[in-house]
Amino acid sequence: MKMADLRVVIKIAELQSITAAANQLDISSSAASIALKRIENEVGAALFVRTTRQLRLSSEGERYLPLCQQALDLLQQGQQAINDERQSINGEVRMAMSSEMGRNLMRNLLNDLLAHHPDVTLRLHVSDTRVDFYRDGVDVALRAMIAGAVNESNFYGFKICNIPHFLCASPQYLAKYGAPTHPGELIVHNALLYKLYNVTHDTWLLLHGDQEHKIKMTSNRACNDGDLVRRWCVDGVGIAKKSAIDVAQDMLAGRLQRVMPDYQIPLTELWLVLPSRQMITPAIRLIRDELKQKISALRVELINNKTLAEHEWPTDD
C-alpha cells in the first residue's frame, strides 16, 4: 500500500470529489481514480458511494478513513524521525580498529562519511592490540571475534558480518614454488605469520569435511601488523592466512590467488563494540550501516569472481 495512494484517498474524502482532489494534488483525475481503486482493491471494499451528483463515504469508508489517517500520520512521523536523525549526524567519533582495517577498508569508508557529514569529526586509534575503552579514550571499536564472544563480555555490540579466511599467495610465488594441494605439502612452504601479544600464530587449522588438519608452519617472517603480512604476501615471499575482507581488493585485482580452496578455515565475526548502549549515536549507526553495505558488496564481488563459494561466506539474513 503506497503512502501516495493513501494521501489521494484522504483528500478525496476531504473534498468529496475526485476531480477537486486531483487538482489540489496536481495530478490527473484518472491518476486519482486509479489510486482510489488500488486502495479499494487492497481493502476489499468500496470506500465511497458514487452518484451522478455526489461522492460520499460508504459505511466501510467511514470506519476505514480515520484509521487510514492515523496510519499516514505515523508513517510521516517515522519518515521525519529518520530525516531528523540524518540531519543530526554530528559530533566526535572516537573509534579503534586494526591497522589493516584502518588503512584499507575503513579509510575510504570514513573519508566518504566525512565528505557527506562535515559536522562529524574522527579520532582514530589504529593498532592490532586490543584497546581499553576507558584508558585509551575510545567510544567504539571494530573487532574480529570468535562466535559468542560479545555475549560473554560486558560490552554491547552490533554484529557486522561473518568473516571467512583462506590461504593466499601471489601468482609470482606460486609460479616459483608451486601451489600446495594438501595440508601436508604446506610444511615445505614459507608462511607469513601474524604475531599478537607475543604469540606467533604458526599453527594453522584447516577443515575438510569432518577432518581437521593442524599444520605447524615454518617461516622466516612474522609481524604484529596484519597489513604488513598482507603486503609481504603481495610481494611474493610466502603464503599467508588472511581474512577475505582484508585481501578482497588484492584478490579482485589478481595480486593474490587463493591456495587450497577445498580446505576451509573456521569463520570469525566482525563486530562494532561499545562499552554501553548509551554510547550509540546517529554517526555510529551510520558507520554500522555503511560498513555492512560495503562488506556485502565485497562479498558479492568475491563470489562473482569465483574466489569463494556463496556457502563459504554465510550471511545473517
Side-chain angles (χ1 to χ4, degrees):
M1 192 172 292
K2 298 180 179 179
M3 287 180 63
D5 289 349
L6 293 176
R7 292 191 185 97
V8 170
V9 172
I10 288 171
K11 186 60 67 175
I12 291 172
E14 177 188 337
L15 301 178
Q16 296 186 349
S17 167
I18 293 175
T19 301
N23 289 338
Q24 195 165 116
L25 295 171
D26 197 23
I27 60 175
S28 66
S29 296
S30 61
S33 296
I34 291 170
L36 173 58
K37 193 66 177 176
R38 277 196 295 261
I39 294 295
E40 289 182 325
N41 286 340
E42 291 192 44
V43 172
L47 301 179
F48 295 92
V49 176
R50 301 165 178 81
T51 67
T52 55
R53 295 184 178 181
Q54 190 179 20
L55 186 73
R56 60 180 176 82
L57 284 172
S58 65
S59 59
E60 291 83 0
E62 288 176 348
R63 292 194 299 272
Y64 179 75
L65 262 294
L67 298 174
C68 181
Q69 182 66 63
Q70 291 177 25
L72 186 59
D73 290 343
L74 287 172
L75 288 171
Q76 290 173 331
Q77 289 173 24
Q79 185 66 55
Q80 186 61 48
I82 291 174
N83 292 339
D84 290 345
E85 182 171 291
R86 286 176 177 167
Q87 292 169 5
S88 66
I89 293 175
N90 53 39
E92 185 177 84
V93 176
R94 301 181 299 175
M95 188 174 185
M97 64 195 66
S98 70
S99 61
E100 201 153 18
M101 278 281 183
R103 292 170 186 159
N104 300 308
L105 181 74
M106 293 302 293
R107 175 174 59 86
N108 293 326
L109 185 150
L110 294 171
N111 280 345
D112 290 342
L113 186 144
L114 262 65
H116 290 92
H117 301 279
D119 292 332
V120 174
T121 58
L122 291 173
R123 299 293 181 264
L124 299 187
H125 187 289
V126 178
S127 172
D128 283 2
T129 58
R130 183 156 296 187
V131 299
D132 182 286
F133 284 101
Y134 303 103
R135 181 195 65 213
D136 298 314
V138 170
D139 299 326
V140 59
L142 189 60
R143 288 181 179 172
M145 311 177 77
I146 62 173
V150 168
N151 294 334
E152 295 171 1
S153 70
N154 295 322
F155 299 126
Y156 182 82
F158 297 112
K159 182 179 177 183
I160 303 299
C161 66
N162 293 305
I163 312 176
H165 296 72
F166 43 66
L167 305 184
C168 53
S170 72
Q172 296 87 349
Y173 178 89
L174 296 175
K176 185 174 182 179
Y177 297 101
T181 59
H182 185 273
E185 298 175 12
L186 285 172
I187 59 175
V188 300
H189 286 269
N190 188 46
L192 305 173
L193 300 178
Y194 184 55
K195 182 179 180 181
L196 187 63
Y197 305 119
N198 295 318
V199 176
T200 301
H201 294 267
D202 57 358
T203 300
W204 290 354
L205 173 63
L206 303 176
L207 308 177
H208 188 263
D210 295 332
Q211 294 181 321
E212 289 189 358
H213 301 268
K214 288 186 178 181
I215 311 299
K216 178 79 169 181
M217 301 298 298
T218 57
S219 171
N220 67 0
R221 300 168 196 241
C223 183
N224 64 347
D225 185 319
D227 192 49
L228 184 53
V229 174
R230 179 190 67 83
R231 290 170 188 254
W232 277 340
C233 197
V234 173
D235 290 340
V237 296
I239 294 176
K241 178 168 70 75
K242 298 296 295 177
S243 87
I245 295 171
D246 290 335
V247 296
Q249 295 305 326
D250 295 315
M251 290 287 185
L252 294 171
R255 293 186 292 270
L256 292 177
Q257 294 178 6
R258 190 169 177 186
V259 174
M260 296 172 52
D262 293 335
Y263 291 83
Q264 279 72 53
I265 295 169
L267 293 169
T268 56
E269 298 175 348
L270 185 64
W271 285 76
L272 271 180
V273 182
L274 306 99
S276 72
R277 185 186 292 267
Q278 286 68 38
M279 302 298 292
I280 301 170
T281 65
I284 288 175
R285 287 194 183 96
L286 180 61
I287 291 172
R288 174 200 62 190
D289 296 342
E290 293 293 321
L291 186 55
K292 282 187 174 184
Q293 290 181 17
K294 196 171 187 69
I295 291 177
S296 178
L298 275 181
R299 176 181 179 273
V300 171
E301 286 188 84
L302 288 173
I303 291 171
N304 291 341
N305 185 253
K306 310 297 184 185
T307 295
L308 50 75
E310 189 168 355
H311 72 271
E312 292 182 280
W313 196 337
T315 66
D316 294 322
D317 298 336

